[in-house]
C-alpha cells in the first residue's frame, strides 16, 4: 500500500518536472506552425487548428537565416576543433610530463573564470581591432576559445589522469615512439573524454550571445544567436512566429549532435572497467 | 652477449634518493630476482633498465651497449607490468601483435608469431577477445605473451604474479622457470615474495631502502645472509635474532644475553667486543636437551612440521621447528641447544654485517628450505 503510494507520488513529481521543462519547447514548436492569426487568439489553442510551414519558408527564403546558420556551424565547429586539439595536448602535458610549475599552471588556467566575462569583452574587442580581426568569424573563434579552453583542459586532464601510466610505458617498451604511444594507446582511451569535451564546447559556442553581440556586427559574420535577435526583435515588434521557427531550427543541430554522441558518451563511461 | 650491468647507478626523485649507487652484474641467460620490501626501489631499478626512468648518475649496460640514452624501444627488452597494462581497446591478438607491428614486422609473419606464442600460452581460443573479457590469470598470460612474442635480449618482469591467487601463482612459477630454461634469455624479475625469488632465481638481489644488501644464489642468501636485514627478511618462519653482548677471552668469542651464554666460532677481524646480535634459524634449534631452558609459548601445527615458539629466561623469544610427530604442550618447560655451526653473529644495528668467518657448512639435509626447495631451478 505504502510503497505504491510513494511510487505514485514520486512519478507525479518526476513528470511534473518533465512537463515544466518540456512545455516551453512544445509551445515553441506549436507556435512555429500556427498561422499568424491564430497566434493571439483567446483562449489559446493547444494544438493549431491549421498547420502551416509558411514561417519556416519565409525564414529560409526571405531572410539572412541561412547565412547566420552557416556562420554558427563554421564558428562552433572551428572552436570545437581548436579547443579539443589544444586541450588534448595540453592535458597530456599537464598529466604526463614533469616540469616545474606544472600544477600552478593548471590552476592559473582556471583564473580566467574568476573574471566576469563582461570585464574581458572590451579588452578583447580592442585586441581584435588591433589585430585587424574585428567583425570576423575568426575573432569569435578566438574569443570562445579563451573561455572554453580552460574548462576543456580540466575536463580532459581528469580523463587523462584516469588512464594508467603503465599503458603508455608498455607501448614505449613495445617499441612505440612517444607520439606513437599517444596515438595508439592514449587517444583511443581518451575518446569518451574527447567526445564529451567536444560536445560541451560545441554547445557553448552554439549558444553564446554576449561576445557575439559585442565583437561582431556585420550580417556577413553574425552567428544565429545575435543574428536572429537582431532580425526579429526590434523595439516595436517581436516576430513571434518567425522567432519560434528560428528557435526550432537552431535546436535541431544540437539535438542531432547529442543523439549521435550520447551513445558514445555512455559507452565511454562503461568502458573504464579493465584492470590496468 | 646480453648480460646486464649496473655501474654505480643512482636515482633521485627530487631530494629523495630511491636507488643508491647500485652495482649489479647479471650474466647472460641468468634469472635474477630483485627482492625486497615495498618501496625499496625494485620497480625504479627495473624501470631504469627498461628506459622508462633515467638514472641520475651511473651507467646501465645491456650486452655491449651502454643504454643510458636509448629509448625503451631501442633497448631490445620486453617488460611485463604488475598491472599487466593490456591495451583495453585492442583484442588479445592485437595486443600481442603490437610490439611486432611497431618494429615493422610484416602482417603474415606477425600472425604466425602471435599464433605460435598463443599456442605456447594456451591463449589461442581467446585471441579475438578484449582484455576486459578475460580473467586475471588469462590477462596475466596475455601480458606474458606480449613480451614473449618477440625474442628480446632481456625480459623484465615486475611482480607479474602478485595479482593471482595462491594456486595459480604456484603453477605460473613453475611455468616461468620452464619458459626461462627453454628461451635461455636473461630475465630480471621483481618480487617482494621471497618464495618466488627463492624458487625461481639463479641469483637474488636483496634490496632495502634503495640499497643492494646481498646478491647471491638463493641457498647462499639463506645460509649466509650478508647482514641482519637479509637474515630477518629471508625465511619463513623467520630467523630468531637476539640482541646481546660479544666478549673475547683468549681469542675465543662468547655471546651472552640474559640467561644465555654461548661460545661462538671464529669471527672476522672487524668483530669488536660489545653489542651484537645472535641469529639462528628455526631448524637449527634443538629442542629436548641442552644448556638453555625455556617455556613453550605457542605451537603452530602446519601438518608436516610444528613451529614452536619458546620464551627464554631472559625474556627473549625463540622459534624452533620440529617434524610433525614431535610436539610440545603450551607451558611446558623445555631445554634446548643450538646447532652452533649454523648460528650467525651480526654486528649491532638493523643492518649489522654478518661476522662469522667460516662459511656455514651447507649440506642439503640441514639447509631446510622445505617449502621453497622442491620445484626449483633447472
Ligand atoms: N615518480 C616518482 N616520484 C617520486 N618518488 C617516487 C617515484 N617513483 C617511486 N618513488 C619512490 O621511490 C621509492 C621506490 O619506489 P619503487 O616503486 O621502486 O618501490 P618498489 O620496491 O617497487 O615497491 P613495491 O614493492 O611497493 O612495488 C618509493 O619510496 C617511492 O615512493
Ligand atoms: Mg614495485
Amino acid at each position: 500500500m505504502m510503497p505504491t503510494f510513494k511510487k505514485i507520488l514520486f512519478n507525479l513529481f518526476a513528470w511534473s518536472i518533465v512537463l515544466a521543462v518540456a512545455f516551453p519547447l512544445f509551445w515553441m514548436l506549436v507556435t512555429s506552425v500556427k498561422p499568424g492569426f491564430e497566434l493571439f487568439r483567446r483562449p489559446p489553442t493547444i494544438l493549431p487548428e491549421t498547420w502551416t510551414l509558411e514561417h519556416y519558408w519565409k525564414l529560409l527564403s526571405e531572410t539572412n537565416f541561412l547565412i547566420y546558420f552557416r556562420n554558427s556551424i563554421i564558428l562552433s565547429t572551428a572552436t570545437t576543433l581548436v579547443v579539443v586539439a589544444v586541450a588534448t595536448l595540453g592535458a597530456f602535458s599537464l598529466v604526463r610530463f614533469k616540469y616545474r610549475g606544472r600544477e600552478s599552471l593548471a590552476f592559473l588556467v582556471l583564473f580566467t573564470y574568476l573574471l566576469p566575462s563582461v570585464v574581458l569583452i572590451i579588452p578583447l574587442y580592442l585586441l581584435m581591432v588591433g589585430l585587424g580581426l574585428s567583425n570576423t568569424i575568426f575573432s569569435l573563434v578566438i574569443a570562445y576559445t579563451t573561455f572554453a579552453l580552460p574548462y576543456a583542459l580540466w575536463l580532459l586532464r581528469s580523463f587523462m589522469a584516469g588512464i594508467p601510466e603503465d599503458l603508455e610505458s608498455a607501448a614505449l617498451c613495445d617499441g612505440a615512439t612517444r607520439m606513437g604511444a599517444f596515438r595508439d594507446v592514449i587517444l583511443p582511451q581518451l575518446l569518451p573524454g574527447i567526445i564529451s569535451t567536444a560536445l560541451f564546447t560545441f554547445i557553448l559556442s552554439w549558444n553564446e550571445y554576449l561576445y557575439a553581440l559585442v565583437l561582431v556586427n556585420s550580417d556577413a559574420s553574425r552567428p544565429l544567436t545575435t543574428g536572429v535577435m537582431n532580425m526579429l526583435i526590434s523595439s516595436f515588434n517581436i516576430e513571434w512566429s518567425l522567432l519560434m521557427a528560428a528557435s526550432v531550427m537552431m535546436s535541431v543541430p544540437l539535438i542531432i549532435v547529442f543523439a549521435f554522441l550520447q551513445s558514445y558518451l555512455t559507452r565511454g563511461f562503461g568502458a573504464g572497467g579493465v584492470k590496468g | 652477449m646480453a648480460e646486464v650491468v649496473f655501474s654505480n647507478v643512482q636515482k633521485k626523485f627530487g631530494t629523495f634518493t630511491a636507488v643508491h649507487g647500485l652495482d649489479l652484474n647479471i650474466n647472460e641467460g641468468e634469472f635474477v630476482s630483485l627482492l625486497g620490501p615495498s618501496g625499496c626501489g625494485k620497480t625504479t631499478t627495473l624501470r631504469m633498465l627498461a628506459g622508462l626512468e633515467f638514472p641520475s648518475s651511473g651507467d646501465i649496460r645491456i650486452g655491449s651497449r651502454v643504454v643510458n640514452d636509448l629509448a625503451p624501444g631501442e633497448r631490445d627488452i620486453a617488460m611485463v607490468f604488475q598491472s599487466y597494462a593490456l591495451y583495453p581497446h585492442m583484442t588479445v591478438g592485437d595486443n600481442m601483435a603490437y610490439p611486432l607491428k611497431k618494429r615493422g614486422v610484416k602482417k603474415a609473419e606477425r600472425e604466425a608469431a602471435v599464433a605460435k606464442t598463443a599456442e605456447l600460452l594456451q591463449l589461442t581460443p581467446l585471441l579475438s577477445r578484449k582484455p576486459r573479457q578475460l580473467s586475471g590469470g588469462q590477462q596475466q598470460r596475455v601480458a606474458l605473451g606480449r613480451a614473449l612474442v618477440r625474442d628480446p635480449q632481456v625480459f623484465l618482469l615486475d611482480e607479474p604474479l602478485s595479482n593471482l591467487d595462491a594456486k595459480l601463482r604456484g603453477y605460473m612459477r613453475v611455468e616461468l622457470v620452464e619458459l626461462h630454461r627453454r628461451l635461455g634469455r636473461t630475465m630480471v624479475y621483481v618480487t617482494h615474495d621471497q618464495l618466488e625469488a627463492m624458487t625461481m632465481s639463479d641469483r637474488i638481489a636483496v634490496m632495502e631502502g634503495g640499497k643492494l644488501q646481498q646478491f647471491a644464489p638463493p641457498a647462499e642468501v639463506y645460509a649466509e645472509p650478508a647482514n641482519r636485514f637479509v637474515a630477518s627478511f629471508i625465511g619463513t618462519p623467520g630467523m630468531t635474532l637476539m640482541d646481546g653482548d660479544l666478549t673475547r677471552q683468549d681469542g675465543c668469542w662468547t655471546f651472552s644475553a640474559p640467561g644465555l651464554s654461548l661460545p661462538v666460532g671464529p669471527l672476522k677481524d672487524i668483530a669488536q667486543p660489545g653489542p651484537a646480535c645472535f641469529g639462528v634459524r628455526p631448524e637449527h634449534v634443538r629442542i629436548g636437551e641442552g644448556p638453555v631452558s625455556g617455556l613453550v609459548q605457542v605451537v603452530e601445527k602446519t601438518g608436516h612440521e610444528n613451529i614452536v615458539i619458546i620464551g627464554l629466561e631472559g625474556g627473549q623469544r625463540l622459534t624452533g621447528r620440529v617434524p610433525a610427530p614431535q610436539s610440545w604442550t603450551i607451558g611446558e618447560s623445555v631445554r634446548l641447544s643450538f646447532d652452533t655451526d649454523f648460528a650467525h653473529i651480526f654486528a649491532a644495528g638493523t643492518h649489522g654485517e654478518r661476522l662469522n668467518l667460516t662459511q656455514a657448512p651447507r649440506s642439503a639435509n640441514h639447509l631446510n628450505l622445505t617449502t621453497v626447495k622442491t620445484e626449483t631451478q633447472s
Side-chain angles (χ1 to χ4, degrees), chain B residues 42-43 82 158-159 190:
Chain B
K42 309 180 293 284
T43 299
Q82 181 172 2
D158 190 357
E159 311 207 19
V190 162

Side-chain angles (χ1 to χ4, degrees), chain A residues 98, chain B residues 13 16 18 37-44 82 159 192:
Chain A
K98 297 193 176 70
Chain B
F13 293 110
F16 174 77
S38 188
C40 72
K42 309 180 293 284
T43 299
T44 307
Q82 181 172 2
E159 311 207 19
H192 62 249

Side-chain angles (χ1 to χ4, degrees), chain B residues 53-266:
Chain B
E53 211 78 74
F54 292 97
S56 308
S57 66
D59 282 336
I60 300 175
R61 191 155 61 75
I62 298 177
S64 54
R65 294 187 300 170
V66 173
V67 294
N68 286 19
D69 298 323
L70 292 185
E74 299 165 338
R75 297 191 176 196
D76 206 10
I77 46 109
M79 182 154 170
V80 178
F81 292 80
Q82 181 172 2
S83 62
Y84 308 149
L86 301 179
Y87 310 129
H89 56 290
M90 297 185 197
T91 62
V92 168
D94 290 342
N95 262 281
M96 286 167 58
Y98 188 73
L100 298 175
K101 200 169 157 188
K102 285 287 126 182
R103 288 179 166 80
V105 178
K106 298 221 175 52
K107 187 149 194 260
E109 281 174 55
R110 266 190 338 240
E111 277 167 2
V114 168
K116 195 170 134 233
T117 313
E119 192 66 39
L120 178 75
L121 295 170
Q122 293 153 33
L123 288 169
T124 311
L126 307 177
L127 280 178
S128 58
R129 291 216 204 153
K130 290 282 175 66
R132 67 169 165 278
Q133 298 164 316
L134 302 179
S135 72
Q138 290 166 334
Q139 291 185 17
Q140 196 271 340
R141 291 214 301 279
V142 176
L144 208 56
R146 196 172 59 186
L148 291 175
V149 75
R150 277 191 331 118
D151 186 25
Q153 298 286 356
V154 186
F155 286 97
L156 311 179
L157 304 105
D158 190 357
E159 311 207 19
L161 307 186
S162 63
N163 289 326
L164 304 182
D165 65 56
K167 196 162 176 198
L168 198 53
R169 211 180 306 161
Y171 171 76
M172 283 311 297
R173 274 208 310 267
V174 181
E175 291 289 294
L176 274 177
V177 168
E178 175 66 20
L179 213 58
H180 172 247
R181 209 195 45 181
R182 193 162 356 154
L183 299 171
R185 289 293 177 211
T186 313
M187 291 196 179
V188 183
Y189 185 97
V190 162
T191 180
H192 62 249
D193 181 343
Q194 52 163 306
L195 186 63
E196 284 176 15
M198 295 296 271
T199 52
M200 298 166 74
S201 324
D202 295 324
R203 281 194 289 170
I204 302 178
V206 184
M207 295 182 69
E208 205 260 339
K211 297 194 182 89
L212 182 65
Q213 306 290 332
Q214 185 168 13
F215 185 38
E220 190 178 324
V221 170
Y222 187 83
E224 296 162 35
N227 60 35
R228 182 172 172 173
F229 171 79
V230 178
S232 64
F233 190 71
I234 305 282
T236 349
M239 183 187 283
T240 300
L241 293 160
M242 281 184 270
D243 285 312
D245 275 302
L246 263 185
T247 49
R248 184 176 189 163
Q249 212 168 29
D250 307 331
C252 291
W253 292 96
T254 309
F255 175 84
S256 51
L260 193 73
S261 180
L262 300 162
V264 291

Side-chain angles (χ1 to χ4, degrees), chain A residues 12-271:
Chain A
L12 223 59
F13 179 67
W15 280 108
S16 57
I17 291 181
V18 170
L19 206 68
V21 172
F23 184 75
L25 296 176
F26 167 75
W27 201 242
M28 168 179 89
L29 198 66
V30 166
T31 310
S32 73
V33 293
K34 274 181 191 171
F37 57 81
E38 201 182 321
L39 212 56
F40 296 104
R41 188 185 295 170
R42 275 169 193 270
T45 50
I46 295 290
L47 289 175
E49 276 165 11
T50 34
W51 299 69
T52 173
L53 291 176
E54 61 177 300
H55 311 306
Y56 289 88
W57 180 242
K58 194 170 169 201
L59 264 184
L60 295 177
S61 58
E62 294 171 27
T63 67
N64 278 336
F65 185 84
L66 277 180
I67 296 177
Y68 301 151
F69 196 89
R70 187 205 62 190
N71 290 346
S72 267
I73 293 275
I74 294 175
L75 173 59
S76 303
T77 311
T79 308
T80 304
L81 288 180
V82 171
V83 166
V84 165
V86 174
T88 305
L89 293 173
F92 183 59
S93 152
L94 283 178
V95 173
R96 287 288 189 268
F97 292 165
K98 297 193 176 70
Y99 45 87
R100 201 176 289 272
R102 186 168 59 134
E103 286 293 312
S104 340
L105 200 69
F107 277 101
L108 214 61
V109 162
L110 278 193
F111 251 62
T112 342
Y113 286 116
L114 293 187
L115 301 175
S117 43
V118 197
V119 176
L120 295 172
I121 288 185
I122 305 302
L124 255 175
Y125 178 71
L126 294 177
L127 265 173
M128 294 306 167
V129 172
L131 289 170
L133 290 175
S134 58
N135 268 332
T136 59
I137 296 181
F138 190 54
S139 72
L140 286 182
V141 173
I142 296 178
Y144 292 2
T145 303
T146 62
F147 63 78
L149 189 58
Y151 185 81
L153 194 65
W154 272 72
L155 200 65
L156 278 173
R157 183 173 176 255
S158 63
F159 270 99
M160 188 79 78
I163 301 175
E165 203 173 343
D166 274 358
L167 280 186
E168 197 189 342
S169 302
L172 291 178
C173 287
D174 285 345
T177 58
R178 197 110 205 211
M179 229 28 230
F182 180 76
R183 194 191 54 228
D184 296 346
V185 176
I186 308 269
L187 270 188
Q189 292 307 109
L190 204 61
L191 200 62
I194 288 180
I195 288 176
S196 50
T197 310
L199 209 59
F200 158 81
T201 313
F202 192 88
I203 292 172
L204 206 70
S205 336
W206 188 264
N207 292 336
E208 209 286 331
Y209 182 75
L210 191 58
Y211 282 77
L213 188 67
V214 175
L215 295 184
V216 167
N217 67 50
S218 82
D219 269 345
S221 37
R222 246 196 266 272
L224 272 175
T225 44
T226 52
V228 167
M229 277 296 268
N230 193 48
M231 175 170 75
L232 302 175
I233 301 178
S234 66
S235 326
F236 312 109
N237 184 26
I238 299 179
E239 299 271 0
W240 282 111
S241 303
L242 290 182
L243 192 61
M244 289 305 119
S247 303
V248 170
M249 286 195 285
M250 280 171 76
S251 314
V252 167
L254 288 194
I255 291 172
I256 292 176
V257 165
F258 220 92
F260 269 101
L261 296 187
Q262 183 221 23
S263 66
Y264 263 99
L265 275 180
T266 42
R267 208 192 307 166
F269 290 137

